[in-house]
Amino acid sequence: MAKILIIDDERAIRNTLREILEYENYKVDDIDNGADGLEMIKNIGYDLVLCDIKMNRMDGMEVLSSAQASHPDLPFIMISGHGTVETAVEASKKGAFDFISKPPDLNRLLITVRNALDRGTLVTETKVLKQKVAKSKTREILGESPAIAKIKETIERVAPTEARVLVTGANGSGKELVARWLHEKSNRAGAPLIEVNCAAIPSELIESELFGHEKGSFTSAIKQRIGKFEQANNGTIFLDEIGDMSPSAQAKVLRALQENKITRVGGEKEIDVNVRVIAATNKDLLKEIEAGNFRMDLYHRLNVIHIHVPPLAERASDVPLLSESFCEEICNEYNIPVKKISPGAFEVLKSLPWTGNIRELRNVIERLIILSDKTITEENVRAFANPSGSIYEPQNAFESKASTRSAKGFDYDGFSNFQDFKDYAEMEFIKYKLEKNNWNVSKTAEDIEIQRSHLYSKIDKFGLKRAD
């Protein structure tokens, strides 16, 4: 039900308009002066305002101007018993939807109200669509540190070529964003960018995922499947977490890179593919080669150009810029005024370890927006940031001093009993390990030495979900 505010100093007009609009099932409030009307607009929120022009204390034009400054999408219908063409033109220039003379014609009033509300709905829908379009675009690589400047320069040089690129860096540091910009600035930008998370696909399915399969090639192959390499033909394929790829899949990828040909699982026909390969990993591939987990020849095929994305802790000077960008983005998503971040808050944010990198920073900014007032202060950051699960540190977990935990914002008084504390510690530990392993459940279960089914139960128990 649409909410309408009537601002008019004539009681008879207010009562007449209220009766008409309430009969049409609108929710109506009324007030006799502009100053109180502005307060109601600010505190309650309306879908439409009907406002008289000639009023004591504050006239309708002032109300319109003030309201448009704070609520630019709120439609106003101006009403006046002394209406002239000049007044109507002035009201329109200030942002009024329409102008109606007193006494108002019933049919014209209702049509104008309906059109104004429809326009408000369209404006809201357009904003939502614009946000969705903006999200679908590749976000900028933000940062002014020397490391980020070097990455941007390398992308500009390398993207227009056909060179393969190996992007390294910790989880959440922005490897995927680098890959996206390499594609966006390449000659293949008009063709698809196909992403494959090698760590998220079971080893027995990775070959089918990459190269496709023929019908009947294995038990569940009920129809032919086109693999990611074919889907990326004439475009780019992004092999994320390639360090987790199985040895047999590595051999087939190597052949695809050498000959630009693939063969579907269960098939005999060779299929030509023209793809540019960008790979990424959070592992040290040279150590993986020494351990026998990764092929040296594949490493050299991929590592034509090497781009290393440093962890956020090594470029703390970029934290304020990233924080402001995330703050604006998240506030817009929530349809709330953009909050400010105080200089003291920036300094505390810069000092945090950021083991979860950019992904963790965005989560923290979202938490601060929800829990803080109009300005995010240093005290808010200390109280709510709680970086990387301060309850459990992977190294010397329970050896840190109580004062250090307090400085990170962890509060032991928040637990009523020992079981609550144990559950919280367990949840944070599992969450940390899952994020460290890029939510590879099998790998995480192996790392913490529990059965995979048990880990799934814990994930369900604590309601853990992978961050987008």
Side-chain angles (χ1 to χ4, degrees):
M1 184 185 295
K3 291 190 293 184
I4 300 175
L5 175 64
I6 301 168
I7 307 176
D8 197 305
D9 57 3
E10 295 183 55
R11 180 184 293 275
I13 293 292
R14 294 202 310 274
N15 290 342
T16 300
L17 292 174
R18 174 186 275 275
E19 287 177 9
I20 293 169
L21 295 171
E22 286 184 338
Y23 184 79
E24 296 293 324
N25 292 321
Y26 296 118
K27 185 177 179 182
V28 182
D29 291 331
D30 65 79
I31 193 71
D32 62 359
N33 67 87
D36 290 342
L38 284 173
E39 280 299 310
M40 294 175 73
I41 291 170
K42 178 182 176 182
N43 297 326
I44 299 174
Y46 292 94
D47 301 301
L48 173 65
V49 177
L50 301 177
C51 185
D52 188 18
I53 291 182
K54 298 294 182 182
M55 294 185 293
N56 295 325
R57 293 175 57 188
M58 178 183 285
D59 70 18
M61 291 300 186
E62 289 182 77
V63 175
L64 174 62
S65 298
S66 299
Q68 288 291 297
S70 57
H71 298 75
D73 298 328
L74 178 61
F76 264 71
I77 297 174
M78 307 305 291
I79 308 171
S80 178
H82 312 281
T84 63
V85 174
E86 290 76 12
T87 307
V89 169
E90 184 185 355
S92 297
K93 285 182 177 180
K94 288 180 179 285
F97 177 78
D98 206 344
F99 177 90
I100 295 177
S101 298
K102 290 182 183 178
D105 175 81
L106 175 60
N107 290 328
R108 185 177 175 221
L109 171 68
L110 292 177
I111 290 171
T112 304
V113 166
R114 193 175 299 118
N115 290 342
L117 290 171
D118 287 344
R119 174 185 173 275
T121 302
L122 287 172
V123 168
T124 302
E125 290 176 351
T126 301
K127 275 190 167 185
V128 172
L129 288 172
K130 283 182 176 179
Q131 287 176 1
K132 288 182 178 178
V133 170
K135 284 183 183 178
S136 67
K137 293 180 180 178
T138 303
R139 65 171 74 236
E140 291 294 326
I141 298 176
L142 294 176
E144 299 172 349
S145 61
I148 293 301
K150 183 179 179 182
I151 288 172
K152 290 179 179 178
E153 181 186 352
T154 304
I155 290 172
E156 293 291 337
R157 286 176 175 270
V158 174
T161 72
E162 292 295 302
R164 300 185 195 101
V165 182
L166 178 63
V167 186
T168 59
N171 285 337
S173 57
K175 300 187 295 296
E176 180 183 343
L177 189 57
V178 170
R180 284 183 173 275
W181 275 113
L182 285 166
H183 175 72
E184 289 287 335
K185 292 180 176 289
S186 74
N187 298 326
R188 298 174 180 260
L193 168 66
I194 303 297
E195 301 178 29
V196 184
N197 188 331
C198 302
I201 303 170
S203 57
E204 60 270 18
L205 297 179
I206 186 70
E207 291 181 47
S208 171
E209 189 74 18
L210 290 174
F211 308 112
H213 62 249
E214 300 291 353
K215 180 179 178 180
S217 56
F218 49 87
T219 305
S220 59
I222 57 175
K223 62 180 181 179
Q224 185 189 72
R225 176 188 175 88
I226 303 299
K228 300 296 187 184
F229 267 86
E230 283 184 81
Q231 293 175 33
N233 196 34
N234 296 318
T236 305
I237 189 167
F238 174 46
L239 301 176
D240 196 11
E241 303 304 345
I242 196 168
D244 294 291
M245 185 179 286
S246 66
S248 58
Q250 290 178 36
K252 288 197 172 184
V253 169
L254 178 63
R255 180 173 178 268
L257 298 183
Q258 289 173 331
E259 303 176 11
N260 293 324
K261 297 178 185 293
I262 62 152
T263 304
R264 297 189 191 124
V265 176
E268 297 179 355
K269 178 184 175 182
E270 290 188 337
I271 301 168
D272 292 329
V273 288
N274 174 23
V275 297
R276 182 186 192 181
V277 176
I278 300 172
T281 182
N282 62 352
K283 295 184 175 182
D284 185 336
L285 291 185
L286 292 177
K287 289 184 178 178
E288 292 297 308
I289 291 169
E290 289 178 9
N293 297 326
F294 200 81
R295 296 179 64 112
M296 181 176 288
D297 45 5
L298 177 59
Y299 171 78
H300 289 302
R301 284 280 175 181
L302 294 171
N303 193 29
V304 177
I305 302 292
H306 180 205
I307 297 177
H308 178 69
V309 185
L312 185 56
E314 292 183 9
R315 53 185 185 100
S317 60
D318 291 333
V319 168
L321 185 62
L322 289 163
S323 300
E324 287 184 330
S325 175
F326 287 143
C327 186
E328 181 178 357
E329 176 187 311
I330 294 165
C331 287
N332 289 335
E333 286 178 7
Y334 287 172
N335 289 318
I336 60 175
V338 177
K339 296 190 176 184
K340 295 182 179 179
I341 305 176
S342 72
F346 280 136
E347 290 305 312
V348 178
L349 287 169
K350 286 165 65 175
S351 69
L352 297 178
W354 300 119
T355 53
N357 293 294
I358 309 295
R359 190 179 298 139
E360 182 186 7
L361 175 61
R362 191 187 191 283
N363 290 344
V364 167
I365 295 300
E366 183 169 11
R367 187 185 310 142
L368 290 168
I369 288 169
I370 294 168
L371 299 175
S372 304
D373 293 325
K374 292 181 180 179
T375 299
I376 297 171
T377 65
E378 178 181 347
E379 291 72 23
N380 294 145
V381 177
R382 294 190 185 281
F384 304 132
N386 192 25
S388 305
S390 61
I391 180 66
Y392 193 96
E393 301 287 345
Q395 301 270 342
N396 302 320
F398 293 100
E399 293 179 8
S400 59
K401 296 179 181 178
S403 59
T404 305
R405 296 195 185 281
S406 177
K408 287 185 174 184
F410 181 69
D411 182 12
Y412 287 101
D413 292 331
F415 301 98
S416 58
N417 56 59
F418 185 56
Q419 185 60 47
D420 286 349
F421 177 83
K422 284 173 62 180
D423 285 345
Y424 185 82
E426 187 176 356
M427 178 187 72
E428 291 295 320
F429 173 67
I430 290 172
K431 181 181 176 183
Y432 171 83
K433 288 293 186 180
L434 284 167
E435 290 180 351
K436 183 179 179 182
N437 291 316
N438 201 27
W439 273 79
N440 185 330
V441 176
S442 299
K443 180 79 163 56
T444 303
E446 182 182 338
D447 279 359
I448 64 179
E449 298 180 358
I450 66 172
Q451 294 182 2
R452 188 166 57 179
S453 59
H454 190 192
L455 180 55
Y456 275 118
S457 298
K458 294 291 185 183
I459 292 171
D460 185 57
K461 174 183 175 182
F462 296 128
L464 298 177
K465 293 181 180 179
R466 184 173 189 170
D468 292 335

